[in-house]
Amino acid sequence: MAVGMAITSHGGQYNGKITPFVILSCMMAAMGGVIFGYDIGISGGVTSMEPFLKKFFPEVYHKMKEDTKISNYCKFDNQLLTSFTSSLYIAGLVASLFASSVTKAFGRKPSILIGGASFLVGSALGGAALNIYMLILGRVLLGVGVGFANQSVPLYLSEMAPPRYRGAFNNGFQLSIGIGALSASLINYGTEKIKAGWGWRISLALAAVPAAVLTLGALFLPDTPNSLIQRSDNPQTAKEMLQRVRGTDDVETEFDDLVKASDVSKTIKHPFKNIVRRKYRPQLVMSILLPFFQQVTGINVIAFYAPILFRTLGLGEEASLLSAVMTGAVGSCSTFISMLIVDKFGRRALFMAGGIQMFVSQMMVGGVMAAELGDHGGVSKGYAYLVLVLIGVYVAGFGWSWGPLGWLVPSEIFPLEIRSAGQSITVVVNFLFTFIVAQMFLAMLCHFKAGIFFFFGIWVVVMTGFVYWFLPETKNVPIEKMDGVWRDHWFWKRFVGHGIEDGRYRRSFIEEEAKIGNRKGWLSLVVVTSSSSNMLVLRSSGNEKENKGDLKGKMSYKSG
């Protein structure tokens, strides 16, 4: 029997502060969000530009300009057009599965580097596209880049951030997505004015700018202490990086927890196989449902097709692009607010408040469109601007809740041994349903008409209720101590008991308050049994001591 004890400070917090080193590293890594957001914003804009449609999608251009019999809701219903948007997400889905192995075996940094380089090549192809095949190939390479970046960047941010500020740091990923989307909308608004009709090329090609910054910056990024200790046989390297990241030499408590998590992770040879086991059930459910719910909020209706939606309402090409700029600005500002308050008010409160806000605004948008927009003609400018304001309210609700938290919570809940696999599942589910929504939305708009907003509104009710009942609060909990929130939850504790079976080993996690010397702290006792050895190892911060001996007959615990 082998037993490891590690003393953590009271309340589960570690020593350390926010250092310039961490801020700069995370800002550079967050450029992975900028490339994702830029693509989301740029694709919706160029698909509403008449020269782009005329060159690549003449059927859509004809319906929009010349067919007076077709319904307002059906003018852009074209599967090839939606394939232009959605092909990126199928490529990203596949790439994220490969990214999991790269991230675990080689670290977070190489995955970020691969993501930036692939996106750089894809942006060049898109800007130079001469036919639909070049255009789609460029989209596929963009998808590979986004798949690698979205798999690795949220993990990087969560592992580098001090626990008490992890929410703010990780929400920087969604803020970067918002900044990328806003930048794309501004660029679309400017390039649309180019009379020669090649402005869309500039819009697509300028994706190379954030991609180049990410690619070059990734060369200088440090890897996270969590990843270093998982991949290295020399823990001292990880300890030195942890000291640099936290800005203090006194990191024994956090380092001991990293060592313990790494020891467990090295017993897991097949993380995708192990993640389906009962003890990881809550994390698996969250890795599937949270990204699914994030997509069925209907946000990509706005993100991808805002200019098209505003043109459906009767606004002109320029006004539609300007409206997309306004909604992008609202989204970025609300995500920044989320960064400031997420670690104070917690994840659950923001999830639920945002859900209520999104539901109300969606019902009102659907109501106005159902009452005022028929199959032909438009709506008055007054109602069009009312819809624009309501969509802004909806985007703000998403921006401080399901937008950033849909990435934050999955990135912080997985134990180290399945973290890369868990994040890959999150990205795969996110991309899968992004693809489905992007591919089906224009057809759904044609058939559901204004009812599309009621459809997504119902899902918002479902997901808000799910958070209320099944998501525990994770704010301020150290990432390597997250297992406790599931054991204390009214529902998940039936899956995550004190006994955990894992292959050849049986572990029992027992936590009790204890006094070590004259200090009172939290004593974390991990019992690991095997058929070959029986050993007790005591570790305490700053004064490590070992006591090894046969424990048979001297200790009992509840297993399995």
Side-chain angles (χ1 to χ4, degrees):
M1 178 183 292
V3 181
M5 292 187 178
I7 309 303
T8 65
S9 60
H10 184 71
Q13 294 298 330
Y14 302 131
N15 293 320
K17 57 187 177 182
I18 298 178
T19 62
F21 178 71
V22 168
I23 292 174
L24 290 173
S25 299
C26 290
M27 286 178 62
M28 184 57 65
M31 289 298 293
V34 174
I35 65 173
F36 186 32
Y38 187 91
D39 180 80
I40 290 173
I42 220 70
S43 59
V46 297
T47 51
S48 72
M49 293 183 184
E50 294 180 7
F52 178 82
L53 292 174
K54 191 174 183 179
K55 181 174 181 61
F56 295 107
F57 307 99
E59 181 182 342
V60 177
Y61 177 80
H62 170 74
K63 286 195 296 185
M64 181 181 69
K65 298 295 290 185
E66 301 174 11
D67 193 339
T68 58
K69 296 181 180 180
I70 194 168
S71 169
N72 283 320
Y73 294 99
C74 300
K75 288 182 177 180
F76 294 90
D77 181 16
N78 181 276
Q79 289 301 301
L80 187 59
L81 178 62
T82 52
S83 295
F84 164 74
T85 299
S86 60
S87 58
L88 178 145
Y89 297 96
I90 286 296
L93 185 157
V94 175
S96 64
L97 294 174
F98 291 99
S100 172
S101 299
V102 173
T103 302
K104 182 176 181 181
F106 302 104
R108 286 53 170 151
K109 175 179 173 178
S111 286
I112 296 174
L113 180 61
I114 293 171
S118 179
F119 200 90
L120 185 61
V121 176
S123 62
L125 268 177
L130 299 176
N131 52 54
I132 191 66
Y133 303 106
M134 285 183 68
L135 197 66
I136 297 297
L137 178 59
R139 295 289 294 172
V140 169
L141 289 173
L142 293 176
V144 172
V146 170
F148 271 87
N150 284 19
Q151 201 278 340
S152 52
V153 170
L155 291 184
Y156 187 93
L157 297 176
S158 286
E159 291 180 345
M160 289 290 278
R164 66 174 63 92
Y165 302 114
R166 187 175 61 248
F169 272 78
N170 197 281
N171 280 9
F173 181 68
Q174 180 67 28
L175 178 63
S176 298
I177 293 175
I179 291 172
L182 176 59
S183 301
S185 297
L186 287 168
I187 290 169
N188 281 335
Y189 181 68
T191 58
E192 180 271 334
K193 298 178 182 298
I194 298 176
K195 301 300 182 182
W198 45 265
W200 60 269
R201 291 192 182 276
I202 296 178
S203 293
L204 294 178
L206 282 179
V209 175
V213 173
L214 179 65
T215 304
L216 294 175
L219 296 174
F220 302 97
L221 278 180
D223 217 336
T224 68
N226 312 61
S227 179
L228 287 172
I229 202 168
Q230 185 182 35
R231 295 182 293 110
S232 174
D233 294 329
N234 181 14
Q236 187 61 31
T237 303
K239 186 174 183 179
E240 291 172 357
M241 178 58 69
L242 185 61
Q243 290 171 335
R244 188 180 181 190
V245 166
R246 299 292 177 248
T248 177
D249 292 334
D250 185 12
V251 295
E252 293 296 332
T253 298
E254 184 173 5
F255 181 69
D256 285 347
D257 283 343
L258 291 181
V259 171
K260 183 172 62 178
S262 178
D263 289 342
V264 174
S265 73
K266 289 176 181 178
T267 68
I268 305 297
K269 302 302 181 184
H270 305 287
F272 280 105
K273 181 179 179 181
N274 278 274
I275 200 172
V276 300
R277 303 186 64 169
R278 181 180 177 88
K279 66 177 180 178
Y280 299 127
R281 191 65 47 79
Q283 292 96 327
L284 179 62
V285 169
M286 295 300 164
S287 71
I288 295 173
L289 288 186
L290 289 183
F292 165 72
F293 285 143
Q294 188 186 51
Q295 295 312 308
V296 294
T297 58
I299 186 60
N300 284 331
V301 171
I302 309 303
F304 295 148
Y305 301 117
I308 290 177
L309 181 63
F310 294 136
R311 295 207 71 171
T312 299
L313 290 170
L315 297 179
E317 182 177 3
E318 182 177 343
S320 296
L321 292 172
L322 181 59
S323 300
V325 171
M326 294 172 60
T327 55
V330 169
S332 296
C333 292
S334 59
T335 302
F336 181 73
I337 293 172
S338 179
M339 290 178 64
L340 300 179
I341 63 177
V342 65
D343 290 311
K344 179 178 181 181
F345 294 102
R347 285 61 161 152
R348 282 166 46 85
L350 294 187
F351 265 132
M352 290 184 284
I356 294 171
Q357 182 174 335
M358 287 189 291
F359 172 74
V360 172
S361 57
Q362 282 176 314
M363 294 299 102
M364 294 181 69
V365 169
V368 171
M369 291 184 67
E372 299 296 328
L373 182 64
D375 287 324
H376 303 283
V379 299
S380 67
K381 283 191 174 180
Y383 280 112
Y385 290 130
L386 173 60
V387 170
L388 177 59
V389 170
L390 291 172
I391 287 177
V393 173
Y394 163 80
V395 169
F398 180 85
W400 60 51
S401 63
W402 280 90
L405 302 184
W407 293 107
L408 166 61
V409 173
S411 74
E412 66 183 0
I413 61 175
F414 295 106
L416 184 61
E417 63 267 23
I418 58 166
R419 190 167 297 157
S420 292
Q423 183 66 15
S424 283
I425 292 173
T426 299
V427 175
V428 164
V429 174
N430 189 291
F431 281 0
L432 174 61
F433 285 97
T434 300
F435 166 78
I436 292 172
V437 171
Q439 190 68 30
M440 294 180 59
F441 168 66
L442 293 178
M444 291 173 67
L445 180 64
C446 181
H447 291 87
F448 286 18
K449 301 181 180 179
I452 191 73
F453 290 94
F454 301 124
F455 171 80
F456 288 120
I458 292 171
W459 279 112
V460 172
V461 173
V462 172
M463 57 203 259
T464 304
F466 174 82
V467 166
Y468 179 80
W469 289 108
F470 297 108
L471 181 68
E473 184 55 68
T474 56
K475 72 171 182 176
N476 297 332
V477 181
I479 195 169
E480 304 300 352
K481 307 290 288 184
M482 195 64 70
D483 58 312
V485 302
W486 308 108
R487 293 200 305 271
D488 295 335
H489 189 267
W490 72 272
F491 180 79
W492 298 118
K493 65 183 180 182
R494 70 187 67 183
F495 296 94
V496 185
H498 288 293
I500 300 175
E501 184 176 352
D502 184 15
R504 295 172 302 151
Y505 301 93
R506 298 177 69 84
R507 296 181 177 81
S508 178
F509 292 79
I510 306 168
E511 292 189 357
E512 62 182 49
E513 197 176 52
K515 289 185 178 180
I516 305 293
N518 292 325
R519 286 193 317 168
K520 185 176 182 181
W522 284 99
L523 177 65
S524 179
L525 173 62
V526 181
V527 182
V528 182
T529 67
S530 74
S531 59
S532 59
S533 64
N534 300 289
M535 185 178 297
L536 171 66
V537 180
L538 300 177
R539 292 185 186 143
S540 63
S541 179
N543 181 26
E544 184 167 315
K545 52 187 177 181
E546 294 189 359
N547 180 12
K548 302 180 181 180
D550 190 350
L551 296 184
K552 281 186 178 178
K554 298 181 181 180
M555 182 175 184
S556 62
Y557 63 97
K558 183 180 179 182
S559 65

